[in-house]
Amino acid sequence: MRRTLALTAAAAVLAGLGATAFATTPAASPATTPATTAAERTHAKPRPLAGLRILVSNDDSMRAAKASNSDGLGLYELRRAMCAAGADVVVMAPWQVQSGKGTAVSNGGALTAQRRTALPAGYERDCAGAPSGGAVFGVCLAEGGCAPDSPSATPADTVKLALRGGLAAKVGWKGAPDLVLTGINSGPNVAASVNDSGTVGAAVAAIDQDVPAIAFSSSGDASQTYFPRENYRAHAEFGARLVAGLSERGLLTSAFALKVDYPDVSAGQRAKAPAWTRVGAGAVAYHAYEQRGAGDTFDIALGLCPVDGGGEGECAEPRRDADSVRLLADGHVTIAPLTWDRTYGTPVEARRELRAVQRYVEREAPRP
């Protein structure tokens, strides 16, 4: 069974499932993070990512201004957690929301990487001790500067720019970063929506340049129109521990990217243990097109499938280890390996690394 909703009523749901975001909401600033106390500074936590250089990008932009938290708040939570763990973090992210852009790139014009000086409230000092200061750049498709309405670079653009000279020019990094992290996306990127995901597309752009990458996406609340800070923060803190574990074991690899999706925990429930999954073969959400009368115009609508994979046709999910079912129906953190190689039937390379990462996820990875 499946159902279709008019896009005007369901745009935020579509955005929350990793597809193109059309909805707009009133602006609101994030709540201020409580100041660190003297006691907390005295008993500082270990910094397992010290010395690691991390590039962060996303497809939700670096604005973090919407009341729905769908335009980049997750990026700042990810930046915060990685800096707290000791990493040196630089952000290069799209100037505008670019959800649903996949691996698209801009083939002409000019890109401007403009530093954001006034960060969202509560996140200003998160990376103050990092060598690069946690610099945040928005990347637009324009010359000389980015205006509020400037067209945006795509997620893949931002990563390619960063790795092909942008980081060296803007913050003086020599050589590639140790890791690229993308997200945290507003909504899960599972099943068929993975092909559309700019969050995943940016991670694929990184491994295409031989840099390890992990794509993070978090579920929204029950409505999938609001993306609670609690979900982003829980995912970011889990992500920092996951990265630390992979790094300590020498398992950060560019042979494949990892896709990490986090369930909704905003009502107080706990996420279940990480599950090693495959990308679902069915759909959770899909684009539908409804003709207006007998004319040439088609309205874009949203098709929604049951989250348990029990639908029919394109909604049917034949894989027992599908990311969508394990995440949305079972409540697990889901982790899946992805590559840039779209050749059907190609031999699996880096088998030893793949088995080692799978074993780590299944046996040793941190628990939420």
Side-chain angles (χ1 to χ4, degrees):
M1 177 180 179
R2 65 188 187 184
R3 57 196 176 98
T4 302
L5 301 176
L7 187 63
T8 53
V13 181
L14 188 60
L17 290 166
T20 307
F22 298 93
T24 57
T25 52
S29 297
T32 302
T33 302
T36 304
T37 66
E40 288 172 333
R41 289 193 295 270
T42 301
H43 302 285
K45 294 181 179 179
R47 296 169 67 80
L49 300 183
L52 204 70
R53 297 187 309 174
I54 297 178
L55 168 68
V56 176
S57 188
N58 69 357
D59 70 0
D60 285 338
S61 83
M62 31 56 75
R63 293 177 177 266
K66 291 182 179 179
S68 61
N69 296 334
S70 64
D71 65 336
L73 182 64
L75 179 150
Y76 290 96
E77 285 292 334
L78 190 61
R79 171 181 174 271
R80 170 184 177 272
M82 296 301 155
C83 283
D88 187 15
V89 177
V90 174
V91 173
M92 281 197 179
W95 185 249
Q96 309 278 8
V97 174
Q98 293 287 288
S99 185
K101 293 295 185 180
T103 56
V105 294
S106 301
N107 288 326
L111 296 175
T112 293
Q114 184 165 302
R115 185 161 185 171
R116 181 171 184 174
T117 55
L119 299 182
Y123 297 98
E124 302 93 337
R125 301 290 298 170
D126 287 340
C127 299
S132 300
V136 175
F137 297 91
V139 185
C140 66
L141 187 61
E143 296 184 23
C146 301
D149 59 350
S150 292
S152 183
T154 70
D157 280 339
T158 66
V159 171
K160 289 176 183 287
L161 171 65
L163 299 183
R164 295 177 178 175
L167 287 171
K170 303 302 288 187
V171 297
W173 281 7
K174 295 180 180 179
D178 300 295
L179 179 65
V180 172
L181 302 179
T182 64
I184 300 171
N185 190 66
S186 56
N189 276 304
V190 292
S193 65
V194 170
N195 289 327
D196 300 329
S197 168
T199 306
V200 171
V204 170
I207 61 170
D208 187 49
Q209 296 299 302
D210 203 28
V211 180
I214 305 175
F216 295 99
S217 301
S218 285
S219 295
D221 65 4
S223 72
Q224 287 293 347
T225 61
Y226 177 71
F227 304 94
R229 184 190 309 274
E230 295 91 337
N231 289 352
Y232 290 136
R233 183 154 296 186
H235 196 176
E237 293 177 352
F238 168 82
R241 292 184 289 131
L242 178 72
V243 169
L246 291 167
S247 179
E248 289 167 3
R249 292 161 177 79
L251 296 177
L252 293 177
T253 176
S254 61
F256 49 87
L258 292 178
K259 181 179 73 71
V260 183
D261 290 86
Y262 210 84
D264 177 24
V265 295
S266 60
Q269 65 273 41
R270 291 185 64 86
K272 294 181 182 178
W276 186 256
T277 64
R278 288 191 293 170
V279 174
V284 174
Y286 59 91
H287 292 87
Y289 306 93
E290 299 178 349
Q291 186 176 16
R292 289 188 188 177
D296 299 331
T297 299
F298 291 78
D299 289 316
I300 303 172
L302 170 66
L304 294 177
C305 299
V307 298
D308 61 1
E312 299 176 351
E314 66 188 285
C315 292
E317 179 50 70
R319 296 178 175 176
R320 291 186 177 182
D321 57 351
D323 53 1
S324 52
V325 176
R326 299 292 276 156
L327 175 80
L328 298 172
D330 300 341
H332 286 270
V333 180
T334 61
I335 301 178
L338 305 170
T339 77
W340 55 268
D341 191 343
R342 299 187 181 188
T343 306
Y344 180 74
T346 189
V348 176
E349 299 174 351
R351 287 181 180 273
R352 182 176 298 179
E353 293 170 274
L354 185 63
R355 286 196 298 266
V357 174
Q358 180 178 356
R359 185 164 54 249
Y360 168 68
V361 168
E362 293 177 337
R363 301 179 184 178
E364 303 175 68
R367 294 309 186 247

